[in-house]
Amino acid sequence: MDSTTPASAFPGGTRPGGRSARVRAQVLEATGRLLVEQGYDALTVDSVAEAAGVHRTTVYRRWRDVGGLLADLLEAAADDTWRPADTGSLEGDLTAMNREVLDAVSAEPSLTRALIAASFRSAEAARALRAFWEDRYARSAEVVTRAVERGEAPPGTAARPLLIAATAPLYQELVLLASPPDPSLPATAARATALAAAAGAFTTRTEGR
């Protein structure tokens, strides 16, 4: 997902209009570019201001520090119109979602990977990244709603566990294990999850059952 991932490209959705919006777009573009080019440790407010072509006091006043810059970069990524694909089947929808994840995480350079890494170094970035994932999971829940309506999954199927099961293999392989991208992985993980969903693996259970 940028969907989960996540995958619409970062920074995504900065709204146009006015000097303030232009400055924000310049600063966030510079933040993302420097993050992937130089890494978190080399990222500073001064370097971002220079790369963005704005005065350093403007950046300090609005974003305060690197954590504020990263948090706003992630908030901008959520400010878009992304919706999961409707392919006509749960397996197809999950495959499309996973292909977005594969593209975002395996890109070279990958801003998605850089932001995930930065979230372990910055509390503000970590909070913003959690909010980004929550937003993507909420938007992606319609994939599961459609599957239930089509009879591909039983009523009571929980969206979030299903979506995590579908996308987790990609993050495990590409981020944690740093495995080479496998073009077949999106479809393989999607099929396994769709079969599990059809068997009721993600249905909510009542107390005492």
Side-chain angles (χ1 to χ4, degrees):
M1 276 171 228
D2 250 1
S3 75
T4 299
T5 96
S8 326
F10 293 107
T14 336
R15 290 191 179 115
R19 180 178 181 279
S20 178
R22 288 196 300 274
V23 168
R24 184 188 185 212
Q26 290 170 222
V27 169
L28 296 187
E29 187 279 332
T31 300
R33 176 161 45 85
L34 293 178
L35 179 64
V36 297
E37 289 175 355
Q38 301 178 11
Y40 177 84
D41 288 328
L43 190 67
T44 66
V45 170
D46 287 357
S47 66
V48 169
E50 181 178 359
V54 302
H55 200 280
R56 62 195 297 272
T57 58
T58 299
V59 182
Y60 277 108
R61 184 171 59 247
R62 179 164 181 174
W63 287 278
R64 302 184 313 281
D65 55 23
V66 167
L69 286 165
L70 293 173
D72 196 27
L73 183 61
L74 282 157
E75 288 172 13
D79 183 19
D80 60 17
T81 59
W82 181 88
R83 285 292 181 274
D86 184 356
T87 67
S89 73
L90 176 60
E91 183 176 339
D93 290 353
L94 294 176
T95 299
M97 183 180 300
N98 281 350
R99 283 176 179 151
E100 291 188 50
V101 175
L102 181 71
D103 289 345
V105 178
S106 63
E108 291 297 345
S110 171
L111 182 53
T112 299
R113 285 202 317 269
L115 283 165
I116 292 172
S119 72
F120 288 94
R121 307 287 301 279
S122 163
E124 282 189 84
R127 285 192 294 270
L129 187 60
R130 282 195 298 271
F132 177 84
W133 297 142
E134 292 290 349
D135 172 74
R136 285 307 195 249
Y137 280 122
R139 298 192 201 194
S140 300
E142 67 184 70
V143 166
V144 181
T145 300
R146 294 195 297 254
V148 173
E149 291 172 349
R150 289 190 296 254
E152 297 175 291
T157 296
R160 183 161 172 157
L162 188 157
L163 295 167
I164 290 174
T167 57
L170 283 89
Y171 291 105
Q172 175 75 27
E173 290 287 348
L174 299 171
V175 178
L176 298 182
L177 298 178
S179 302
D182 179 357
S184 69
L185 183 56
T188 300
R191 178 166 174 73
T193 305
L195 289 170
F202 305 106
T203 54
T204 54
R205 299 187 181 278
T206 58
E207 192 73 23
R209 290 186 58 187

